[in-house]
Amino acid sequence: MGANTSQVSDLSESQSIRTLIGPDAISENEPFWNQLISFTFTSPTCSADAKLLEEAVVPLAKTLIQNNPRSGNFGALVRVFLSRTKELKISTECQDQLFIWQAHNALFLVRCLLKVFIREMSEEELHLQFSYQERVPGTYDSICKDLLEELVCNLVHLIVEVPLLDITYNILFEAVTTLLVLMSYQLFHKEVLREGLIYGYLTRGRCLSLTSRLVKTLLYNFIRQEKCPAATHVLQTQSDGGGLLYGLASGVASGLWSVFTLGGVSSRPGAEQDQNPLPLSNQSLLLLLVLANLTDGADCPNPYRQAVTCFKNTQDSSSLPSPQPHTFQINFNSLYTALYEQQKSDQVTLLLYTLLHQNSNMRTYILSRTDMENLVLPILEILYHVEERNSHHVYMALIILLILTEDDTFNRSIHEVMLKNISWYTERVLTEISLGSLLILVVIRTIQFNMTRTRVRPEPVTKSHVKLHKYPDLWPLFALLSKKHNKVLEQATQSLHGPLGADDRTVLPDYAQDLNVIEEVIRMMLEIINSCLSTSLHHNPNLLYALLYKRELFEQFRSHPSFQDIMQNLDTVIGFFSQRLEQAGSDLSVERVQEVIKKGAAALPKERLKVSAQIFMMIDRKTNSFKTHWINNSPAD
């Protein structure tokens, strides 16, 4: 690298890079550093190119690891960057693009090296790499700052103090990404890291006072959704009679590991992910989620989680001081808009879940919106395309629906919102359907997909005010469950009576697990129907019609010990309406049957039906189960 345009193929041949990683110490005051960080770089625009860059950096970084204890050049590079961060805010105000460009290049080099360092060594060993420095014989440096802590604190200061402009976009992106890289030690440990140097710098050190400002800045970076600016030439000077063009390496922000997925839990790769037009927004959100999900320390709670759980709306005129530390205000309307516009991203879905679950101010605001369809429809689209999403994303979408349906007003309102021509629902034409009906239809489809394809345990739908009608997917699902249940029982029985000496110890547990899953789903579906019958019978004439028409599906469940209790209401309803239909005569038309059902729904004494609380308990149990699964297995699962 140097004053010329550089490419991946140039790295190993660059004299400046060879000098940096070599055994000879370079004083941070030498002109070498200005030459090193004055480069443009044709940055990767896809993951394949980014991988090539990383592969090129690895051997160079390993050479530096060997020589750095003698040369201290890595520490010198960090100090060169830190010396330039002190003037970044002034440089931004003065539009000094050359200064910002060189500071960006220095941080880019630091970040590329750190990514390899962290993979190759422990935090303690990394700390040593920062402490090595050139020593003049016969002298002793009595003041030795913690250079790693200085870097972390300066990165936080840079993010919160430097305004987001076209000329600062790239360096802000690098600052956010470098913090992510520094916190990536969790990727290389199976157990949860509860302590550590970098953890301490961020939660107990000098950065603590900037907690609320950092969280607020990262949220606004996500809200603003600023695209990466086009490449801009920043300086053209005359040197030795020739032209020397310096270019702002703005393309770096759109590549170079731009999606730091923290363990690969993002959705299936595609062109949309490979070409990320919003790298700063994406990285800021990832950093926010990592900070908010740090575990509590032994002597103090996670300050970033506190900030995320207590921030308020800028429109909140309450004068009461918040008892929570690190609180701040943010525009809820802008945040809500960004949340529903970006729901295709699993990290945005996780942010929405976090806010709904932990921030009561944001949850109240979301539930008070009159345009709830803007938020719910993207979530349903995620579930509709379940085969294209990873299991974590689907779990989060389902849990969000569970949280929303805990609110009775939400359950009523979604059946009042009418939708037309849902373009992404392609199995049949939905010319007009309520939001509540679409929600149930999509979730039932998700259950069916999980049962037939992945054996993933499914989720229930809304708890109350359910209107189950016009759902051709419901009865095929019951038929499928019944068939699979009988088949697994038959296979388990055959295994038990297999040839003597056969080792079935590993086979039988699988059958038991399959039966448990299928029976749990069957009971869940029966609970949903039971809830509809016991709480809103008059709203579900089509469900009653289908129950009578498909009554044979439920025959085998009456004698099964797992379903006998819940079948009481279904037997009562089927018996009551069957008797009324017999009294109405034979050869009844569909219209006449529906008329009898509607009149019977009003006549059936409610006290004859038992209101089951099991479904609500099951929802809470499932919600907690999936929350625990996400925390334990993400993001490094």
Side-chain angles (χ1 to χ4, degrees):
M1 293 187 177
N4 299 317
T5 299
S6 299
Q7 297 178 350
V8 172
S9 58
D10 299 332
L11 292 179
S12 61
E13 303 300 326
S14 168
Q15 184 58 48
S16 297
I17 293 295
R18 294 169 69 88
T19 302
L20 172 67
I21 66 176
D24 297 329
I26 309 167
S27 171
E28 59 199 78
N29 299 317
E30 292 188 19
F32 163 82
W33 297 106
N34 279 331
Q35 179 186 4
L36 176 69
I37 62 178
S38 296
F39 64 86
T40 60
F41 190 82
T42 305
S43 64
T45 56
C46 64
S47 57
D49 290 344
K51 186 177 181 180
L52 289 176
L53 173 62
E54 183 173 5
E55 291 173 351
V57 169
V58 168
L60 303 175
K62 289 184 176 181
T63 301
L64 180 60
I65 291 172
Q66 295 175 353
N67 292 327
N68 192 50
R70 180 169 40 175
S71 69
N73 285 343
F74 179 71
L77 173 62
V78 173
R79 284 188 290 272
V80 167
F81 164 70
L82 294 178
S83 67
R84 282 161 170 76
T85 60
K86 299 174 183 178
E87 307 297 332
L88 272 178
K89 193 172 183 180
I90 297 176
S91 299
T92 302
E93 295 171 355
C94 300
Q95 295 287 305
D96 188 347
Q97 299 184 43
L98 174 61
F99 192 91
I100 298 171
W101 167 56
Q102 290 186 327
H104 162 272
N105 287 350
L107 181 56
F108 168 66
L109 291 173
V110 171
R111 194 253 294 179
C112 288
L113 294 169
L114 277 176
K115 194 166 189 290
V116 181
F117 283 13
I118 288 173
R119 192 170 61 186
E120 296 291 325
M121 61 186 71
S122 66
E123 261 192 319
E124 292 74 17
E125 293 170 328
L126 177 68
H127 191 255
L128 284 176
Q129 294 293 330
F130 280 83
S131 65
Y132 299 134
Q133 56 181 308
E134 179 189 18
R135 290 281 193 273
V136 178
T139 64
Y140 178 75
D141 189 355
S142 59
I143 303 177
C144 184
K145 293 183 179 179
D146 187 335
L147 194 58
L148 177 55
E149 182 179 17
E150 285 291 315
L151 176 62
V152 172
C153 292
N154 271 269
L155 291 174
V156 174
H157 274 277
L158 193 161
I159 293 169
V160 302
E161 292 181 355
V162 175
L164 175 55
L165 305 170
D166 279 358
I167 61 174
T168 61
Y169 188 101
N170 300 313
I171 194 167
L172 289 172
F173 169 82
E174 281 300 326
V176 171
T177 307
T178 304
L179 280 179
L180 271 172
V181 170
L182 284 168
M183 300 178 70
S184 64
Y185 269 109
Q186 181 65 71
L187 295 178
F188 307 101
H189 294 267
K190 292 183 178 179
E191 69 280 3
V192 176
L193 296 182
R194 302 182 184 276
E195 291 293 336
L197 289 172
I198 299 168
Y199 178 95
Y201 297 150
L202 289 167
T203 60
R204 293 188 294 271
R206 290 151 45 195
C207 297
L208 183 61
S209 61
L210 296 173
T211 295
S212 59
R213 291 183 63 191
L214 179 58
V215 172
K216 184 176 182 178
T217 301
L218 294 175
L219 274 174
Y220 269 123
N221 286 349
F222 163 68
I223 289 170
R224 291 178 63 176
Q225 300 290 311
E226 292 286 347
K227 293 185 178 180
C228 180
T232 306
H233 297 305
V234 297
L235 180 66
Q236 186 169 1
T237 62
Q238 297 294 323
S239 175
D240 297 331
L244 180 61
L245 183 65
Y246 289 86
L248 181 64
S250 62
V252 173
S254 60
L256 301 176
W257 310 299
S258 59
V259 182
F260 192 82
T261 58
L262 299 180
V265 299
S266 60
S267 300
R268 292 185 180 182
E272 182 179 344
Q273 289 179 304
D274 223 18
Q275 303 286 348
N276 180 16
L278 303 169
L280 179 59
S281 172
N282 185 62
Q283 297 297 80
S284 296
L285 177 55
L286 288 172
L287 178 57
L288 175 64
L289 291 172
V290 171
L291 290 171
N293 286 282
L294 292 175
T295 56
D296 293 334
D299 54 350
C300 65
N302 176 4
Y304 302 97
R305 183 184 297 120
Q306 289 180 319
V308 167
T309 59
C310 68
F311 65 79
K312 297 181 178 180
N313 192 356
T314 51
Q315 305 300 317
D316 186 358
S317 57
S318 174
S319 59
L320 295 176
S322 173
Q324 297 290 340
H326 313 298
T327 188
F328 60 92
Q329 289 186 313
I330 200 168
N331 189 307
F332 276 15
N333 182 60
S334 299
L335 179 55
Y336 177 80
T337 301
L339 284 170
Y340 73 70
E341 286 182 346
Q342 302 295 320
Q343 270 305 306
K344 290 184 179 180
S345 161
D346 51 359
Q347 54 261 32
V348 179
T349 304
L350 178 55
L351 175 63
L352 174 59
Y353 158 73
T354 302
L355 296 179
L356 281 171
H357 182 243
Q358 300 185 10
N359 190 309
S360 58
N361 301 319
M362 192 67 193
R363 180 172 61 252
T364 300
Y365 175 84
I366 290 176
L367 289 171
S368 69
R369 297 283 303 202
T370 58
D371 60 345
M372 185 61 69
E373 66 274 12
N374 287 337
L375 185 67
V376 175
L377 280 174
I379 297 172
L380 296 182
E381 188 174 358
I382 292 170
L383 296 178
Y384 183 77
H385 297 292
V386 60
E387 67 278 0
E388 299 175 5
R389 304 291 174 180
N390 64 74
S391 60
H392 295 310
H393 200 180
V394 174
Y395 288 167
M396 284 295 101
L398 289 166
I399 291 176
I400 286 170
L401 292 180
L402 289 175
I403 294 175
L404 292 174
T405 56
E406 290 176 355
D407 183 76
D408 289 338
T409 302
F410 172 84
N411 292 330
R412 285 192 295 269
S413 64
I414 60 175
H415 290 291
E416 297 169 357
V417 177
M418 300 306 298
L419 307 170
K420 295 184 178 180
N421 299 321
I422 308 300
S423 60
W424 46 263
Y425 197 99
T426 58
E427 291 180 49
R428 60 183 59 87
V429 178
L430 300 179
T431 56
E432 186 175 54
I433 187 172
S434 72
L435 180 60
S437 297
L438 179 64
L439 185 152
I440 298 170
L441 182 60
V442 171
V443 174
I444 288 175
R445 183 182 182 277
T446 305
I447 294 171
Q448 188 170 13
F449 174 83
N450 286 335
M451 287 301 302
T452 57
R453 300 286 186 85
T454 63
R455 293 171 54 189
V456 175
R457 297 195 179 191
E459 280 300 297
V461 292
T462 55
K463 300 190 305 185
S464 59
H465 302 283
V466 179
K467 300 178 182 179
L468 280 176
H469 60 282
K470 303 178 184 176
Y471 304 134
D473 293 327
L474 180 63
W475 309 116
L477 175 58
F478 259 109
L480 172 67
L481 290 170
S482 176
K483 184 177 180 181
K484 288 179 72 70
H485 186 265
N486 293 335
K487 183 177 180 180
V488 174
L489 271 177
E490 181 183 353
Q491 290 173 336
T493 303
Q494 291 176 352
S495 296
L496 283 172
H497 296 86
L500 293 176
D503 186 4
D504 293 330
R505 289 175 296 177
T506 60
V507 177
L508 290 178
D510 289 339
Y511 287 130
Q513 183 183 19
D514 289 347
L515 281 174
N516 182 58
V517 171
I518 295 172
E519 289 176 3
E520 186 171 346
V521 176
I522 292 173
R523 182 171 180 85
M524 179 188 66
M525 297 300 294
L526 292 174
E527 286 280 8
I528 294 172
I529 295 175
N530 189 42
S531 178
C532 297
L533 298 177
S534 59
T535 61
S536 54
L537 182 67
H538 61 288
H539 285 309
N540 290 286
N542 291 319
L543 172 62
L544 292 170
Y545 183 95
L547 284 175
L548 294 169
Y549 186 72
K550 298 286 186 178
R551 69 183 73 181
E552 70 279 359
L553 285 176
F554 304 96
E555 290 293 336
Q556 64 177 310
F557 302 141
R558 286 190 176 89
S559 59
H560 197 290
S562 298
F563 311 125
Q564 285 178 341
D565 59 331
I566 202 171
M567 284 299 297
Q568 293 180 13
N569 276 357
L570 273 71
D571 286 341
T572 298
V573 169
I574 291 174
F576 176 83
F577 284 96
S578 296
Q579 184 179 9
R580 292 184 73 92
L581 288 173
E582 290 176 2
Q583 294 173 355
S586 59
D587 297 328
L588 300 178
S589 66
V590 174
E591 291 76 14
R592 177 57 180 151
V593 172
Q594 290 177 336
E595 182 182 350
V596 173
I597 288 175
K598 288 179 181 179
K599 290 182 179 179
L604 178 63
K606 294 183 178 180
E607 61 270 15
R608 292 183 60 181
L609 300 178
K610 297 180 180 180
V611 179
S612 174
Q614 293 298 318
I615 188 171
F616 309 126
M617 297 171 60
M618 180 173 58
I619 287 173
D620 292 337
R621 185 175 70 251
K622 286 288 188 179
T623 302
N624 293 331
S625 173
F626 284 126
K627 289 174 185 174
T628 303
H629 176 85
W630 180 271
I631 293 171
N632 291 341
N633 295 283
S634 178
D637 187 8

